[in-house]
Amino acid sequence: CIELYGGVARASEMSNNTRVTTFMSRSLPHLAGLMKFYAEELSICESLLRLFRDYAEQFIVALEQDDCVALFAASAELLKSYSSSHCSKSRVVKSSIEEEQDYNDVLSAIQLLIHLSTKDFLDISFGYKNSAAVSDQVTNVVFFGLQQVLPLMTQGLMQFPALCTQFFYLVGSMVDSYVEKVCALNDELFQALLDAILFGMSHSDSSVSKSSLRAIADLTKEQIKSRALDNHLRLHPDLFVKCNKKLLQDVIFQPLVWDRLENCSTALLPLVAVDMNGFAALVTQMCEQLETSEKRQRLQMAFQELIKPEVVTKVVAKGNEGRLNRLQKKRI
């Protein structure tokens, strides 16, 4: 039965989509309710998540406001039921022979959130009567879903290419567009997200690394602008030292840096500006580990260029350009 609905959800090439969206909008609450009864059946969970993902992917552009509200309400209920059984703890990769297909439910949930999040940007062109309310609903559902999926994304799962790429695409877009909400996450979730971002910075896939580096830059700039991370810093005073150390040792001074060099500089400069004393201490520590005085002097001179007042002032003056552009479009 679910697969039959899946066929309807993929029928987006019809000349008139209204019949499909009307039919699906009436059915979505009942389909989401099935997750409560079959939450322990992973194959049925995957089918339901895939159904919602395909419907959102194919029809999110064409949905009228009422249909859009129905999709987001049902998706929230679906993800809530799914998370209660599968997202309360990390899923461990038991052996190296496990295939990525075994985690298609997680991948489908992430892709569903990605497709739902695009509606916030598409609303710019549609002019809904109550677009602000729809936008808030988009944000709330996607953030709720991200919080549920996050505990699942262990470093073991992030070794799978498709899962890793889609997860960091979602994280990057959410930090770029809703950095204030990310900073306001409870400390446990924020630290889990930060650890994932730090892991992604040194990933061999350049798209994953670039998304992670942009996310670090956006979080740091928000701290410079509004002190949004002060609550987390009270619990973790070395937060930015950890970020700087990871960036310098595992990214900048590695052979893979050349395909992400610009993103490294975008992340490094705000990190220098936000915690100059911590950065200077880290550089001193790194210099002491170098073999010759010539190398130590060269490294110190290079980093001294970064802490010049004119460089720091320029970084502090900049904000989150992607988020500002989005807000500007919303006002238009």
Side-chain angles (χ1 to χ4, degrees):
C1 178
I2 296 172
E3 294 300 330
L4 292 175
Y5 274 99
V8 175
R10 292 186 290 272
S12 61
E13 296 185 0
M14 296 173 59
S15 57
N16 184 0
N17 292 327
T18 305
R19 292 174 60 190
V20 174
T21 56
T22 301
F23 172 76
M24 289 297 295
S25 293
R26 291 197 300 262
S27 303
L28 288 176
H30 305 291
L31 290 167
L34 290 176
M35 186 67 84
K36 294 180 180 179
F37 299 101
Y38 297 101
E40 300 300 326
E41 297 291 335
L42 196 58
S43 61
I44 297 179
C45 287
E46 180 187 335
S47 296
L48 286 167
L49 289 165
R50 188 170 61 246
L51 162 62
F52 274 71
R53 178 202 66 189
D54 290 343
Y55 180 62
E57 180 181 13
Q58 299 293 338
F59 289 95
I60 196 76
V61 176
L63 290 181
E64 298 293 338
Q65 184 167 346
D66 291 342
D67 295 325
C68 183
V69 170
L71 172 60
F72 279 100
S75 296
E77 188 65 27
L78 180 82
L79 291 168
K80 182 179 179 181
S81 300
Y82 170 70
S83 66
S84 65
S85 296
H86 299 283
C87 300
S88 58
K89 59 182 179 179
S90 301
R91 190 183 298 186
V92 179
V93 180
K94 298 178 182 178
S95 68
S96 58
I97 62 174
E98 286 189 272
E99 299 292 337
E100 189 168 9
Q101 288 82 356
D102 294 335
Y103 304 94
N104 275 340
D105 58 313
V106 184
L107 179 60
S108 296
I110 292 172
Q111 291 172 329
L112 170 61
L113 294 173
I114 290 173
H115 296 316
L116 293 177
S117 67
T118 61
K119 190 61 178 175
D120 202 12
F121 299 91
L122 293 170
D123 285 349
I124 296 168
S125 303
F126 278 78
Y128 287 160
K129 293 179 181 179
N130 196 14
S131 60
V134 175
S135 178
D136 289 341
Q137 189 173 21
V138 172
T139 307
N140 292 337
V141 171
V142 175
F143 257 91
F144 172 78
L146 177 61
Q147 291 176 45
Q148 307 313 308
V149 169
L150 191 55
L152 290 175
M153 294 305 296
T154 61
Q155 291 190 11
L157 285 190
M158 284 189 278
Q159 300 297 331
F160 295 121
L163 266 174
C164 185
T165 302
Q166 294 292 302
F167 173 71
F168 280 101
Y169 179 87
L170 174 64
V171 168
S173 63
M174 295 307 291
V175 174
D176 176 60
S177 299
Y178 310 106
V179 67
E180 305 99 327
K181 280 184 170 287
V182 173
C183 293
L185 290 172
N186 70 61
D187 188 68
E188 182 179 359
L189 282 172
F190 180 81
Q191 293 302 319
L193 181 63
L194 181 63
D195 288 343
I197 292 172
L198 294 180
F199 171 81
M201 287 198 310
S202 58
H203 200 277
S204 58
D205 188 323
S206 62
S207 65
V208 171
S209 177
K210 290 175 181 178
S211 293
S212 302
L213 290 165
R214 285 193 294 268
I216 284 291
D218 288 337
L219 290 171
T220 309
K221 290 177 182 178
E222 186 64 21
Q223 171 64 11
I224 294 172
K225 175 186 173 184
S226 65
R227 312 292 300 179
L229 297 176
D230 279 357
N231 289 336
H232 300 297
L233 285 168
R234 278 191 281 270
L235 297 174
H236 309 277
D238 64 339
L239 188 152
F240 289 115
V241 173
K242 181 171 71 171
C243 294
N244 267 317
K245 188 173 183 179
K246 178 74 173 179
L247 179 59
L248 291 173
Q249 295 183 348
D250 294 352
V251 186
I252 292 179
F253 291 116
Q254 295 297 321
L256 286 173
V257 72
W258 301 109
D259 63 354
R260 60 203 70 176
L261 193 59
E262 181 178 351
N263 299 92
C264 285
S265 65
T266 301
L268 180 61
L269 290 175
L271 284 171
V272 173
V274 78
D275 185 13
M276 197 173 298
N277 292 333
F279 178 78
L282 180 60
V283 170
T284 301
Q285 181 182 352
M286 293 178 63
C287 289
E288 291 173 352
Q289 297 173 357
L290 295 177
E291 300 174 355
T292 65
S293 58
E294 181 182 356
K295 290 182 178 180
R296 289 194 291 269
Q297 185 177 7
R298 286 176 56 191
L299 185 61
Q300 287 174 338
M301 290 178 62
F303 284 124
Q304 283 173 1
E305 292 293 321
L306 292 176
I307 60 176
K308 287 183 176 180
E310 58 269 24
V311 175
V312 175
T313 302
K314 184 178 180 181
V315 173
V316 173
K318 291 185 177 181
N320 296 291
E321 291 81 4
R323 180 166 53 91
L324 293 175
N325 289 337
R326 172 184 168 274
L327 294 174
Q328 184 178 8
K329 290 178 180 177
K330 280 286 188 180
R331 286 193 292 268
I332 295 174

